[in-house]
Amino acid sequence: MRAIRRLLALVALALAATTANAQFVKGNEAVKVMPDGTKKIETPPMPATGPAGKAKPCAAEAGCHPGPWHMVETSAGLRECTEPFARPTTCRESTYGTQKLSRLWIAKKGSTWLWCQYPDMAGKCVDMHARPPLNLPVSAVQ
C-alpha cells in the first residue's frame, strides 16, 4: 500500500512539473520579471485598421470560435483566447495540461509578435504581421 501511495505521489509531482514548465513560452520577451519579482506583461496591440480592428470579438464562452486557441500570457496568468489581443471577454482560464485543443502560443521577440506552434520559440514561429503565406500559423493539438 505504501509503495502505491509513493508511486501515485511521484506521478502527481511529475505531471505537475510538466504542466508548470509549459505554462509560458520560453524566451517570450513580452514577459519581464522586474527586480522586485513582479512581472510586467505586454499583450499584442489591437490593430487600428483591418478586419480584426473592426470585428466584434468572439467571447471565449460563446462557442463562436472556429480556430485554434491563442495562448496568451496576461497579468491574470496564462489564458486561452479566441484572438491574440487578449481582450477581456475573449479569454478564459487555461486548460493546457488537462484538455487537448488546437493551440497557438503568442510571444514577442524584439518588436515582433509571433504565433508559435509550441510553448518554445526554438520551434516553429511565424510573424503575426507578415504578409501571407509567411504569416500562416501552424497550430498543434496539445
Side-chain angles (χ1 to χ4, degrees):
M1 191 64 158
R2 279 179 122 182
I4 292 173
R5 284 188 194 154
R6 275 195 195 141
L7 179 61
L8 290 174
L10 287 173
V11 169
L13 285 172
L15 286 173
T18 302
T19 301
N21 286 340
Q23 289 292 312
F24 60 91
V25 178
K26 294 173 191 140
N28 185 2
E29 295 175 15
V31 179
K32 293 183 178 84
V33 179
M34 306 310 283
D36 64 358
T38 60
K39 287 184 180 180
K40 181 179 177 189
I41 299 172
E42 290 180 74
T43 55
M46 281 289 300
T49 60
K54 297 176 185 172
K56 181 180 178 195
C58 171
E61 306 303 330
C64 55
H65 180 59
W69 286 93
H70 295 85
M71 304 302 292
V72 184
E73 184 74 31
T74 70
S75 57
L78 183 67
R79 310 284 286 171
E80 291 174 354
C81 304
T82 59
E83 62 183 11
F85 315 111
R87 289 187 269 188
T89 61
T90 66
C91 297
R92 66 183 187 188
E93 285 193 39
S94 172
T95 61
Y96 182 74
T98 61
Q99 188 175 3
K100 295 241 181 222
L101 297 171
S102 181
R103 303 180 198 287
L104 286 172
W105 297 79
I106 307 306
K108 185 178 182 186
K109 184 170 187 174
S111 62
T112 305
W113 286 96
L114 304 167
W115 278 311
C116 296
Q117 185 176 23
Y118 295 106
D120 187 347
M121 291 176 59
K124 179 138 176 80
C125 295
V126 295
D127 183 343
M128 287 173 48
H129 302 294
R131 293 182 166 254
L134 298 177
N135 73 337
L136 297 177
V138 179
S139 63
V141 174
Q142 15 185 333

